Short mmCIF file of all heavy atoms in Angstrom, two decimals:
data_model
loop_
_atom_site.label_atom_id
_atom_site.label_comp_id
_atom_site.label_asym_id
_atom_site.label_seq_id
_atom_site.Cartn_x
_atom_site.Cartn_y
_atom_site.Cartn_z
N MET A 18 11.32 10.07 -0.83
CA MET A 18 10.89 9.66 0.48
C MET A 18 10.28 8.28 0.40
O MET A 18 9.54 8.02 -0.56
CB MET A 18 9.83 10.65 0.98
CG MET A 18 9.34 10.32 2.35
SD MET A 18 8.20 11.55 3.05
CE MET A 18 9.39 12.74 3.60
N ARG A 19 10.50 7.43 1.34
CA ARG A 19 9.95 6.05 1.41
C ARG A 19 8.77 6.06 2.33
O ARG A 19 8.88 6.47 3.45
CB ARG A 19 11.02 5.08 1.88
CG ARG A 19 12.15 4.93 0.88
CD ARG A 19 13.27 4.08 1.39
NE ARG A 19 12.73 2.69 1.47
CZ ARG A 19 13.48 1.67 1.77
NH1 ARG A 19 14.78 1.81 1.99
NH2 ARG A 19 12.97 0.45 1.81
N PHE A 20 7.62 5.59 1.81
CA PHE A 20 6.39 5.49 2.56
C PHE A 20 6.08 4.06 2.91
O PHE A 20 6.18 3.18 2.02
CB PHE A 20 5.24 6.04 1.74
CG PHE A 20 5.31 7.52 1.49
CD1 PHE A 20 5.97 7.99 0.33
CD2 PHE A 20 4.73 8.43 2.33
CE1 PHE A 20 6.01 9.35 0.05
CE2 PHE A 20 4.79 9.80 2.02
CZ PHE A 20 5.44 10.24 0.90
N LEU A 21 5.66 3.79 4.14
CA LEU A 21 5.08 2.53 4.53
C LEU A 21 3.62 2.80 4.88
O LEU A 21 3.33 3.49 5.82
CB LEU A 21 5.82 1.94 5.74
CG LEU A 21 5.29 0.61 6.25
CD1 LEU A 21 5.50 -0.49 5.23
CD2 LEU A 21 6.01 0.20 7.57
N ILE A 22 2.72 2.18 4.10
CA ILE A 22 1.30 2.37 4.33
C ILE A 22 0.84 1.11 5.09
O ILE A 22 0.99 -0.03 4.62
CB ILE A 22 0.52 2.47 2.96
CG1 ILE A 22 1.10 3.52 2.08
CG2 ILE A 22 -0.97 2.69 3.23
CD1 ILE A 22 1.05 4.94 2.60
N ILE A 23 0.29 1.37 6.23
CA ILE A 23 -0.19 0.26 7.09
C ILE A 23 -1.60 -0.07 6.73
O ILE A 23 -2.53 0.69 7.03
CB ILE A 23 -0.03 0.61 8.62
CG1 ILE A 23 1.44 0.94 8.85
CG2 ILE A 23 -0.54 -0.52 9.46
CD1 ILE A 23 1.78 1.42 10.22
N GLY A 24 -1.79 -1.16 5.99
CA GLY A 24 -3.07 -1.58 5.51
C GLY A 24 -3.29 -1.10 4.08
O GLY A 24 -2.73 -0.08 3.67
N ALA A 25 -4.01 -1.89 3.30
CA ALA A 25 -4.29 -1.55 1.89
C ALA A 25 -5.77 -1.70 1.60
O ALA A 25 -6.21 -2.28 0.61
CB ALA A 25 -3.46 -2.43 0.95
N GLY A 26 -6.59 -1.19 2.58
CA GLY A 26 -8.04 -1.18 2.40
C GLY A 26 -8.46 0.06 1.66
O GLY A 26 -7.69 0.59 0.84
N ALA A 27 -9.63 0.56 1.96
CA ALA A 27 -10.16 1.74 1.29
C ALA A 27 -9.25 2.96 1.45
O ALA A 27 -8.87 3.62 0.45
CB ALA A 27 -11.55 2.04 1.74
N LEU A 28 -8.87 3.28 2.71
CA LEU A 28 -8.07 4.49 2.91
C LEU A 28 -6.62 4.29 2.54
O LEU A 28 -6.04 5.06 1.75
CB LEU A 28 -8.17 4.93 4.38
CG LEU A 28 -9.56 5.39 4.85
CD1 LEU A 28 -9.59 5.65 6.32
CD2 LEU A 28 -9.91 6.67 4.09
N GLY A 29 -5.99 3.29 3.08
CA GLY A 29 -4.58 3.01 2.80
C GLY A 29 -4.35 2.74 1.35
O GLY A 29 -3.38 3.19 0.73
N GLY A 30 -5.26 1.95 0.71
CA GLY A 30 -5.14 1.65 -0.69
C GLY A 30 -5.23 2.90 -1.55
O GLY A 30 -4.46 3.04 -2.51
N TYR A 31 -6.18 3.73 -1.23
CA TYR A 31 -6.35 4.94 -2.03
C TYR A 31 -5.15 5.86 -1.90
O TYR A 31 -4.56 6.27 -2.91
CB TYR A 31 -7.63 5.68 -1.63
CG TYR A 31 -7.76 6.97 -2.42
CD1 TYR A 31 -8.28 6.93 -3.75
CD2 TYR A 31 -7.43 8.18 -1.92
CE1 TYR A 31 -8.40 8.09 -4.51
CE2 TYR A 31 -7.55 9.34 -2.64
CZ TYR A 31 -8.06 9.32 -3.94
OH TYR A 31 -8.14 10.44 -4.70
N TYR A 32 -4.79 6.24 -0.70
CA TYR A 32 -3.70 7.17 -0.54
C TYR A 32 -2.37 6.60 -0.98
O TYR A 32 -1.54 7.29 -1.60
CB TYR A 32 -3.62 7.71 0.89
CG TYR A 32 -4.78 8.62 1.22
CD1 TYR A 32 -5.81 8.27 2.08
CD2 TYR A 32 -4.84 9.87 0.63
CE1 TYR A 32 -6.90 9.12 2.32
CE2 TYR A 32 -5.92 10.73 0.88
CZ TYR A 32 -6.95 10.36 1.72
OH TYR A 32 -7.99 11.19 1.94
N GLY A 33 -2.14 5.33 -0.67
CA GLY A 33 -0.91 4.69 -1.15
C GLY A 33 -0.87 4.60 -2.64
O GLY A 33 0.17 4.84 -3.30
N GLY A 34 -2.00 4.30 -3.26
CA GLY A 34 -2.09 4.22 -4.71
C GLY A 34 -1.86 5.59 -5.38
O GLY A 34 -1.15 5.62 -6.39
N MET A 35 -2.36 6.61 -4.78
CA MET A 35 -2.15 7.96 -5.37
C MET A 35 -0.71 8.35 -5.25
O MET A 35 -0.12 8.99 -6.12
CB MET A 35 -3.04 9.00 -4.70
CG MET A 35 -4.54 8.85 -4.98
SD MET A 35 -4.92 9.05 -6.79
CE MET A 35 -5.13 7.40 -7.29
N LEU A 36 -0.06 7.98 -4.12
CA LEU A 36 1.38 8.23 -4.00
C LEU A 36 2.17 7.43 -5.04
O LEU A 36 3.08 7.99 -5.66
CB LEU A 36 1.87 7.84 -2.60
CG LEU A 36 1.46 8.79 -1.42
CD1 LEU A 36 1.70 8.08 -0.07
CD2 LEU A 36 2.23 10.06 -1.54
N LEU A 37 1.79 6.18 -5.27
CA LEU A 37 2.43 5.38 -6.33
C LEU A 37 2.25 6.03 -7.70
O LEU A 37 3.19 6.08 -8.49
CB LEU A 37 1.86 3.97 -6.37
CG LEU A 37 2.40 2.99 -5.35
CD1 LEU A 37 1.53 1.74 -5.34
CD2 LEU A 37 3.84 2.63 -5.71
N LYS A 38 1.01 6.47 -7.97
CA LYS A 38 0.74 7.09 -9.23
C LYS A 38 1.61 8.34 -9.47
O LYS A 38 2.01 8.65 -10.62
CB LYS A 38 -0.75 7.49 -9.32
CG LYS A 38 -1.22 7.89 -10.65
CD LYS A 38 -2.74 8.08 -10.64
CE LYS A 38 -3.22 8.46 -12.02
NZ LYS A 38 -4.68 8.63 -12.05
N GLY A 39 1.92 9.03 -8.38
CA GLY A 39 2.76 10.18 -8.44
C GLY A 39 4.25 9.88 -8.45
O GLY A 39 5.10 10.80 -8.49
N GLY A 40 4.61 8.60 -8.37
CA GLY A 40 6.00 8.21 -8.50
C GLY A 40 6.71 7.96 -7.19
O GLY A 40 7.93 7.77 -7.14
N ALA A 41 5.98 7.94 -6.09
CA ALA A 41 6.62 7.74 -4.74
C ALA A 41 7.02 6.28 -4.54
O ALA A 41 6.53 5.39 -5.17
CB ALA A 41 5.67 8.17 -3.65
N ASP A 42 7.96 6.11 -3.63
CA ASP A 42 8.41 4.75 -3.23
C ASP A 42 7.50 4.33 -2.06
O ASP A 42 7.62 4.76 -0.95
CB ASP A 42 9.87 4.86 -2.74
CG ASP A 42 10.45 3.55 -2.29
OD1 ASP A 42 9.75 2.54 -2.31
OD2 ASP A 42 11.64 3.53 -1.93
N VAL A 43 6.56 3.40 -2.39
CA VAL A 43 5.52 2.99 -1.43
C VAL A 43 5.55 1.45 -1.21
O VAL A 43 5.70 0.69 -2.16
CB VAL A 43 4.11 3.37 -1.94
CG1 VAL A 43 3.04 2.93 -1.00
CG2 VAL A 43 4.06 4.90 -2.17
N THR A 44 5.47 1.09 0.07
CA THR A 44 5.31 -0.31 0.46
C THR A 44 4.11 -0.42 1.37
O THR A 44 3.90 0.48 2.20
CB THR A 44 6.57 -0.83 1.18
OG1 THR A 44 7.71 -0.73 0.33
CG2 THR A 44 6.43 -2.25 1.60
N PHE A 45 3.36 -1.49 1.22
CA PHE A 45 2.14 -1.71 2.04
C PHE A 45 2.44 -2.83 3.05
O PHE A 45 2.90 -3.87 2.66
CB PHE A 45 0.97 -2.10 1.16
CG PHE A 45 0.46 -1.02 0.27
CD1 PHE A 45 0.97 -0.84 -0.96
CD2 PHE A 45 -0.56 -0.16 0.72
CE1 PHE A 45 0.53 0.17 -1.84
CE2 PHE A 45 -1.00 0.84 -0.10
CZ PHE A 45 -0.51 1.06 -1.37
N LEU A 46 2.11 -2.55 4.31
CA LEU A 46 2.18 -3.58 5.39
C LEU A 46 0.81 -4.16 5.48
O LEU A 46 -0.18 -3.51 5.81
CB LEU A 46 2.59 -2.91 6.69
CG LEU A 46 2.53 -3.80 7.95
CD1 LEU A 46 3.57 -4.94 7.80
CD2 LEU A 46 2.80 -2.98 9.17
N VAL A 47 0.72 -5.44 5.06
CA VAL A 47 -0.60 -6.13 4.98
C VAL A 47 -0.50 -7.53 5.59
O VAL A 47 0.57 -8.10 5.76
CB VAL A 47 -1.07 -6.21 3.52
CG1 VAL A 47 -1.39 -4.80 2.97
CG2 VAL A 47 -0.11 -6.89 2.63
N ARG A 48 -1.67 -8.11 5.79
CA ARG A 48 -1.79 -9.51 6.22
C ARG A 48 -1.56 -10.43 5.02
O ARG A 48 -1.72 -10.00 3.89
CB ARG A 48 -3.11 -9.78 6.87
CG ARG A 48 -3.30 -8.95 8.14
CD ARG A 48 -4.66 -9.24 8.81
NE ARG A 48 -4.71 -8.51 10.04
CZ ARG A 48 -5.83 -8.23 10.65
NH1 ARG A 48 -6.98 -8.59 10.14
NH2 ARG A 48 -5.82 -7.59 11.78
N PRO A 49 -1.25 -11.70 5.28
CA PRO A 49 -0.97 -12.66 4.18
C PRO A 49 -2.04 -12.75 3.17
O PRO A 49 -1.81 -12.77 1.96
CB PRO A 49 -0.75 -13.99 4.89
CG PRO A 49 -0.27 -13.60 6.26
CD PRO A 49 -1.01 -12.33 6.60
N ARG A 50 -3.29 -12.80 3.53
CA ARG A 50 -4.39 -12.92 2.61
C ARG A 50 -4.51 -11.70 1.68
O ARG A 50 -4.67 -11.84 0.45
CB ARG A 50 -5.72 -13.09 3.35
CG ARG A 50 -6.86 -13.50 2.42
CD ARG A 50 -8.08 -13.87 3.22
NE ARG A 50 -9.11 -12.91 2.93
CZ ARG A 50 -10.25 -12.79 3.55
NH1 ARG A 50 -10.53 -13.60 4.58
NH2 ARG A 50 -11.16 -11.91 3.25
N ARG A 51 -4.33 -10.51 2.22
CA ARG A 51 -4.38 -9.30 1.40
C ARG A 51 -3.15 -9.22 0.49
O ARG A 51 -3.27 -8.81 -0.67
CB ARG A 51 -4.45 -8.07 2.31
CG ARG A 51 -4.59 -6.76 1.55
CD ARG A 51 -5.88 -6.66 0.80
NE ARG A 51 -6.08 -5.35 0.24
CZ ARG A 51 -6.51 -5.12 -0.98
NH1 ARG A 51 -6.90 -6.10 -1.76
NH2 ARG A 51 -6.60 -3.87 -1.41
N ALA A 52 -2.00 -9.68 0.97
CA ALA A 52 -0.81 -9.73 0.11
C ALA A 52 -1.03 -10.62 -1.10
O ALA A 52 -0.65 -10.27 -2.21
CB ALA A 52 0.38 -10.20 0.91
N ALA A 53 -1.69 -11.75 -0.89
CA ALA A 53 -1.98 -12.68 -2.02
C ALA A 53 -2.95 -12.02 -3.01
O ALA A 53 -2.80 -12.14 -4.22
CB ALA A 53 -2.55 -14.01 -1.49
N GLN A 54 -3.97 -11.32 -2.50
CA GLN A 54 -4.93 -10.63 -3.37
C GLN A 54 -4.22 -9.58 -4.21
O GLN A 54 -4.48 -9.47 -5.41
CB GLN A 54 -6.05 -9.97 -2.55
CG GLN A 54 -6.96 -10.92 -1.89
CD GLN A 54 -7.93 -10.22 -0.91
OE1 GLN A 54 -7.66 -9.10 -0.46
NE2 GLN A 54 -9.02 -10.86 -0.61
N LEU A 55 -3.37 -8.79 -3.56
CA LEU A 55 -2.65 -7.73 -4.28
C LEU A 55 -1.69 -8.30 -5.29
O LEU A 55 -1.54 -7.77 -6.42
CB LEU A 55 -1.90 -6.81 -3.32
CG LEU A 55 -2.85 -5.92 -2.47
CD1 LEU A 55 -2.02 -5.31 -1.31
CD2 LEU A 55 -3.52 -4.88 -3.29
N ALA A 56 -1.06 -9.44 -4.98
CA ALA A 56 -0.12 -10.07 -5.94
C ALA A 56 -0.88 -10.60 -7.17
O ALA A 56 -0.40 -10.54 -8.30
CB ALA A 56 0.59 -11.20 -5.23
N GLU A 57 -2.07 -11.11 -6.94
CA GLU A 57 -2.88 -11.67 -8.03
C GLU A 57 -3.54 -10.58 -8.89
O GLU A 57 -3.47 -10.68 -10.10
CB GLU A 57 -3.97 -12.53 -7.44
CG GLU A 57 -4.87 -13.26 -8.47
CD GLU A 57 -5.96 -14.09 -7.82
OE1 GLU A 57 -5.64 -14.73 -6.81
OE2 GLU A 57 -7.05 -14.11 -8.36
N ARG A 58 -4.15 -9.59 -8.26
CA ARG A 58 -4.96 -8.64 -9.01
C ARG A 58 -4.33 -7.21 -9.11
O ARG A 58 -4.79 -6.42 -9.91
CB ARG A 58 -6.31 -8.45 -8.36
CG ARG A 58 -7.09 -9.69 -8.24
CD ARG A 58 -8.45 -9.45 -7.57
NE ARG A 58 -8.76 -10.70 -6.84
CZ ARG A 58 -9.31 -10.70 -5.66
NH1 ARG A 58 -9.58 -9.60 -5.03
NH2 ARG A 58 -9.59 -11.83 -5.10
N GLY A 59 -3.36 -6.95 -8.32
CA GLY A 59 -2.82 -5.60 -8.24
C GLY A 59 -3.71 -4.70 -7.40
O GLY A 59 -4.79 -5.13 -6.94
N LEU A 60 -3.34 -3.50 -7.16
CA LEU A 60 -4.15 -2.52 -6.46
C LEU A 60 -5.00 -1.81 -7.47
O LEU A 60 -4.50 -1.23 -8.47
CB LEU A 60 -3.27 -1.51 -5.72
CG LEU A 60 -4.00 -0.42 -4.93
CD1 LEU A 60 -4.73 -1.06 -3.73
CD2 LEU A 60 -2.97 0.59 -4.44
N VAL A 61 -6.31 -1.80 -7.25
CA VAL A 61 -7.27 -1.19 -8.20
C VAL A 61 -7.96 -0.01 -7.54
O VAL A 61 -8.52 -0.15 -6.46
CB VAL A 61 -8.33 -2.21 -8.69
CG1 VAL A 61 -9.31 -1.56 -9.61
CG2 VAL A 61 -7.67 -3.46 -9.27
N ILE A 62 -7.86 1.14 -8.13
CA ILE A 62 -8.51 2.36 -7.58
C ILE A 62 -9.46 2.81 -8.70
O ILE A 62 -9.08 3.14 -9.83
CB ILE A 62 -7.50 3.46 -7.24
CG1 ILE A 62 -6.59 2.95 -6.14
CG2 ILE A 62 -8.23 4.75 -6.85
CD1 ILE A 62 -5.46 3.90 -5.79
N LYS A 63 -10.73 2.92 -8.32
CA LYS A 63 -11.77 3.40 -9.25
C LYS A 63 -12.25 4.77 -8.75
O LYS A 63 -12.53 4.96 -7.60
CB LYS A 63 -12.96 2.42 -9.30
CG LYS A 63 -12.57 1.04 -9.79
CD LYS A 63 -13.78 0.11 -9.78
CE LYS A 63 -13.31 -1.27 -10.24
NZ LYS A 63 -14.38 -2.22 -10.22
N SER A 64 -12.31 5.72 -9.70
CA SER A 64 -12.72 7.06 -9.38
C SER A 64 -13.47 7.66 -10.59
O SER A 64 -13.57 7.00 -11.63
CB SER A 64 -11.53 7.96 -8.99
OG SER A 64 -10.75 8.23 -10.11
N ALA A 65 -13.95 8.85 -10.43
CA ALA A 65 -14.64 9.55 -11.52
C ALA A 65 -13.67 9.78 -12.71
O ALA A 65 -14.13 9.88 -13.83
CB ALA A 65 -15.16 10.89 -11.01
N ASP A 66 -12.37 9.75 -12.45
CA ASP A 66 -11.36 9.91 -13.52
C ASP A 66 -11.05 8.65 -14.26
O ASP A 66 -10.27 8.66 -15.18
CB ASP A 66 -10.07 10.51 -12.97
CG ASP A 66 -10.25 11.89 -12.34
OD1 ASP A 66 -11.15 12.63 -12.87
OD2 ASP A 66 -9.57 12.24 -11.39
N GLY A 67 -11.58 7.52 -13.80
CA GLY A 67 -11.35 6.24 -14.42
C GLY A 67 -10.77 5.27 -13.45
O GLY A 67 -10.86 5.44 -12.20
N GLU A 68 -10.12 4.23 -13.95
CA GLU A 68 -9.61 3.17 -13.12
C GLU A 68 -8.07 3.13 -13.21
O GLU A 68 -7.52 3.31 -14.28
CB GLU A 68 -10.18 1.82 -13.58
CG GLU A 68 -9.76 0.65 -12.74
CD GLU A 68 -10.49 -0.62 -13.13
OE1 GLU A 68 -11.68 -0.77 -12.82
OE2 GLU A 68 -9.85 -1.47 -13.80
N PHE A 69 -7.41 3.01 -12.06
CA PHE A 69 -5.97 2.92 -12.00
C PHE A 69 -5.61 1.59 -11.38
O PHE A 69 -6.09 1.25 -10.28
CB PHE A 69 -5.45 4.06 -11.14
CG PHE A 69 -3.96 4.03 -10.81
CD1 PHE A 69 -3.05 4.13 -11.81
CD2 PHE A 69 -3.56 3.87 -9.50
CE1 PHE A 69 -1.70 4.11 -11.52
CE2 PHE A 69 -2.21 3.80 -9.21
CZ PHE A 69 -1.23 3.91 -10.18
N VAL A 70 -4.81 0.76 -12.09
CA VAL A 70 -4.42 -0.50 -11.57
C VAL A 70 -2.87 -0.52 -11.59
O VAL A 70 -2.24 -0.17 -12.60
CB VAL A 70 -4.91 -1.67 -12.47
CG1 VAL A 70 -4.50 -3.00 -11.93
CG2 VAL A 70 -6.43 -1.59 -12.61
N THR A 71 -2.26 -0.98 -10.48
CA THR A 71 -0.84 -1.05 -10.40
C THR A 71 -0.39 -2.25 -9.49
O THR A 71 -1.13 -2.62 -8.55
CB THR A 71 -0.24 0.24 -9.82
OG1 THR A 71 1.19 0.15 -9.90
CG2 THR A 71 -0.68 0.55 -8.43
N GLY A 72 0.70 -2.77 -9.76
CA GLY A 72 1.33 -3.78 -8.83
C GLY A 72 1.89 -3.00 -7.66
O GLY A 72 2.23 -1.83 -7.76
N VAL A 73 1.94 -3.67 -6.53
CA VAL A 73 2.48 -3.01 -5.34
C VAL A 73 3.50 -3.91 -4.63
O VAL A 73 3.47 -5.12 -4.78
CB VAL A 73 1.37 -2.64 -4.36
CG1 VAL A 73 0.41 -1.64 -4.98
CG2 VAL A 73 0.58 -3.84 -3.89
N ARG A 74 4.35 -3.29 -3.82
CA ARG A 74 5.28 -4.04 -3.01
C ARG A 74 4.63 -4.14 -1.60
O ARG A 74 4.08 -3.18 -1.08
CB ARG A 74 6.57 -3.21 -2.87
CG ARG A 74 7.63 -3.89 -2.05
CD ARG A 74 8.98 -3.19 -2.05
NE ARG A 74 8.85 -1.74 -1.94
CZ ARG A 74 9.32 -0.86 -2.83
NH1 ARG A 74 9.93 -1.24 -3.91
NH2 ARG A 74 9.17 0.45 -2.60
N THR A 75 4.62 -5.38 -1.07
CA THR A 75 4.01 -5.64 0.24
C THR A 75 5.02 -6.26 1.20
O THR A 75 5.99 -6.92 0.72
CB THR A 75 2.79 -6.54 0.12
OG1 THR A 75 3.18 -7.79 -0.36
CG2 THR A 75 1.68 -5.94 -0.74
N VAL A 76 4.82 -6.05 2.45
CA VAL A 76 5.54 -6.75 3.48
C VAL A 76 4.57 -7.13 4.59
O VAL A 76 3.46 -6.62 4.62
CB VAL A 76 6.68 -5.87 4.15
CG1 VAL A 76 7.78 -5.58 3.16
CG2 VAL A 76 6.14 -4.64 4.76
N GLN A 77 4.96 -8.11 5.38
CA GLN A 77 4.13 -8.53 6.54
C GLN A 77 4.86 -8.11 7.81
O GLN A 77 6.02 -7.77 7.75
CB GLN A 77 3.86 -10.01 6.45
CG GLN A 77 2.99 -10.28 5.21
CD GLN A 77 2.80 -11.77 4.99
OE1 GLN A 77 2.91 -12.57 5.95
NE2 GLN A 77 2.55 -12.14 3.78
N ALA A 78 4.20 -8.18 8.95
CA ALA A 78 4.70 -7.61 10.20
C ALA A 78 6.10 -8.07 10.51
O ALA A 78 6.98 -7.29 10.88
CB ALA A 78 3.76 -7.95 11.30
N ALA A 79 6.39 -9.33 10.42
CA ALA A 79 7.71 -9.86 10.79
C ALA A 79 8.79 -9.31 9.85
O ALA A 79 9.91 -9.01 10.29
CB ALA A 79 7.75 -11.41 10.73
N GLU A 80 8.49 -9.16 8.60
CA GLU A 80 9.43 -8.62 7.64
C GLU A 80 9.63 -7.12 7.83
O GLU A 80 10.72 -6.62 7.58
CB GLU A 80 8.91 -8.80 6.15
CG GLU A 80 8.67 -10.29 5.82
CD GLU A 80 7.90 -10.37 4.49
OE1 GLU A 80 6.86 -9.75 4.38
OE2 GLU A 80 8.45 -11.07 3.59
N ALA A 81 8.62 -6.41 8.16
CA ALA A 81 8.66 -4.95 8.22
C ALA A 81 9.67 -4.46 9.25
O ALA A 81 10.44 -3.52 9.02
CB ALA A 81 7.28 -4.40 8.52
N GLU A 82 9.73 -5.10 10.40
CA GLU A 82 10.63 -4.65 11.43
C GLU A 82 12.08 -4.85 11.03
O GLU A 82 12.92 -3.98 11.28
CB GLU A 82 10.39 -5.44 12.73
CG GLU A 82 9.05 -5.04 13.36
CD GLU A 82 8.79 -5.82 14.66
OE1 GLU A 82 9.76 -6.32 15.21
OE2 GLU A 82 7.63 -5.87 15.06
N ALA A 83 12.40 -5.92 10.38
CA ALA A 83 13.82 -6.23 10.10
C ALA A 83 14.28 -5.75 8.77
O ALA A 83 15.44 -5.41 8.58
CB ALA A 83 14.01 -7.78 10.15
N ALA A 84 13.39 -5.62 7.77
CA ALA A 84 13.80 -5.39 6.41
C ALA A 84 13.43 -4.05 5.84
O ALA A 84 13.77 -3.75 4.70
CB ALA A 84 13.29 -6.52 5.53
N TYR A 85 12.67 -3.20 6.51
CA TYR A 85 12.21 -1.99 5.83
C TYR A 85 12.37 -0.79 6.73
O TYR A 85 11.99 -0.80 7.89
CB TYR A 85 10.74 -2.18 5.49
CG TYR A 85 10.28 -1.09 4.53
CD1 TYR A 85 10.49 -1.22 3.20
CD2 TYR A 85 9.65 0.06 5.03
CE1 TYR A 85 10.10 -0.21 2.32
CE2 TYR A 85 9.27 1.06 4.18
CZ TYR A 85 9.50 0.94 2.83
OH TYR A 85 9.12 1.89 1.98
N TYR A 86 12.96 0.23 6.21
CA TYR A 86 13.04 1.47 6.90
C TYR A 86 12.25 2.54 6.12
O TYR A 86 12.55 2.81 4.95
CB TYR A 86 14.51 1.95 7.00
CG TYR A 86 14.64 3.31 7.56
CD1 TYR A 86 14.47 3.59 8.91
CD2 TYR A 86 14.88 4.41 6.68
CE1 TYR A 86 14.52 4.85 9.41
CE2 TYR A 86 14.98 5.71 7.21
CZ TYR A 86 14.81 5.92 8.56
OH TYR A 86 14.90 7.17 9.05
N ALA A 87 11.22 3.07 6.73
CA ALA A 87 10.40 4.06 6.07
C ALA A 87 10.68 5.44 6.66
O ALA A 87 10.95 5.57 7.82
CB ALA A 87 8.91 3.74 6.25
N GLN A 88 10.59 6.44 5.82
CA GLN A 88 10.78 7.80 6.29
C GLN A 88 9.46 8.34 6.81
O GLN A 88 9.43 9.33 7.60
CB GLN A 88 11.32 8.67 5.14
CG GLN A 88 12.74 8.26 4.85
CD GLN A 88 13.22 8.94 3.53
OE1 GLN A 88 12.55 8.84 2.50
NE2 GLN A 88 14.38 9.54 3.60
N LEU A 89 8.33 7.73 6.32
CA LEU A 89 7.00 8.18 6.80
C LEU A 89 6.09 6.99 6.78
O LEU A 89 6.01 6.26 5.78
CB LEU A 89 6.41 9.28 5.90
CG LEU A 89 5.05 9.80 6.29
CD1 LEU A 89 5.06 10.50 7.64
CD2 LEU A 89 4.52 10.72 5.21
N GLU A 90 5.39 6.75 7.91
CA GLU A 90 4.43 5.68 7.98
C GLU A 90 3.02 6.27 8.02
O GLU A 90 2.82 7.28 8.74
CB GLU A 90 4.67 4.82 9.24
CG GLU A 90 5.97 4.08 9.20
CD GLU A 90 6.24 3.27 10.46
OE1 GLU A 90 5.30 3.14 11.30
OE2 GLU A 90 7.33 2.74 10.59
N VAL A 91 2.11 5.70 7.28
CA VAL A 91 0.74 6.19 7.15
C VAL A 91 -0.22 5.10 7.61
O VAL A 91 -0.13 3.99 7.09
CB VAL A 91 0.40 6.63 5.76
CG1 VAL A 91 -1.01 7.13 5.67
CG2 VAL A 91 1.37 7.69 5.26
N THR A 92 -1.08 5.41 8.58
CA THR A 92 -2.05 4.45 9.03
C THR A 92 -3.45 5.02 8.69
O THR A 92 -3.77 6.12 9.06
CB THR A 92 -1.99 4.25 10.56
OG1 THR A 92 -0.68 3.79 10.87
CG2 THR A 92 -2.99 3.22 11.02
N GLY A 93 -4.26 4.22 8.00
CA GLY A 93 -5.64 4.61 7.67
C GLY A 93 -6.56 3.68 8.37
O GLY A 93 -6.57 2.47 8.20
N ILE A 94 -7.40 4.22 9.26
CA ILE A 94 -8.34 3.41 10.03
C ILE A 94 -9.77 3.92 9.74
O ILE A 94 -10.07 5.11 9.86
CB ILE A 94 -8.05 3.54 11.56
CG1 ILE A 94 -6.65 3.06 11.85
CG2 ILE A 94 -9.10 2.78 12.31
CD1 ILE A 94 -6.22 3.34 13.26
N ALA A 95 -10.56 3.00 9.31
CA ALA A 95 -11.97 3.32 8.99
C ALA A 95 -12.84 2.73 10.10
O ALA A 95 -12.60 1.59 10.56
CB ALA A 95 -12.40 2.74 7.68
N ALA A 96 -13.81 3.49 10.53
CA ALA A 96 -14.70 3.02 11.63
C ALA A 96 -15.98 2.52 11.05
O ALA A 96 -16.47 2.89 10.03
CB ALA A 96 -14.98 4.13 12.61
#
């Protein structure tokens, strides 16, 4: 299954990262600044089990409509 995670902040980053860790096909829809941060540092998840760092595939809004078909989109919104 192909996942498109909208945003790579605390919620989207965590759930998308855990899906990646489990072997899922995950892409993050992010803004240009966040895409640059992820390209430079990777996605870092810190938990009681330790630290997980991975590279991620990202797209931006204009690319997502034309170039990506997801079977499930996940939106994480923190208030």
Side-chain angles (χ1 to χ4, degrees):
M18 179 175 282
R19 293 176 68 173
F20 294 90
L21 178 65
I22 308 296
I23 302 173
L28 293 173
Y31 178 78
Y32 288 109
M35 291 297 102
L36 286 166
L37 278 169
K38 191 174 182 179
D42 181 358
V43 178
T44 299
F45 291 88
L46 174 63
V47 294
R48 294 180 177 160
R50 190 171 115 190
R51 184 65 173 137
Q54 291 171 339
L55 290 167
E57 181 181 322
R58 301 180 212 140
L60 179 67
V61 180
I62 298 174
K63 297 178 182 178
S64 71
D66 296 330
E68 186 173 284
F69 172 65
V70 181
T71 186
V73 298
R74 182 174 43 238
T75 62
V76 294
Q77 295 173 25
E80 301 169 307
E82 290 180 20
Y85 194 83
Y86 172 75
Q88 293 170 306
L89 179 65
E90 295 179 9
V91 178
T92 303
I94 300 173

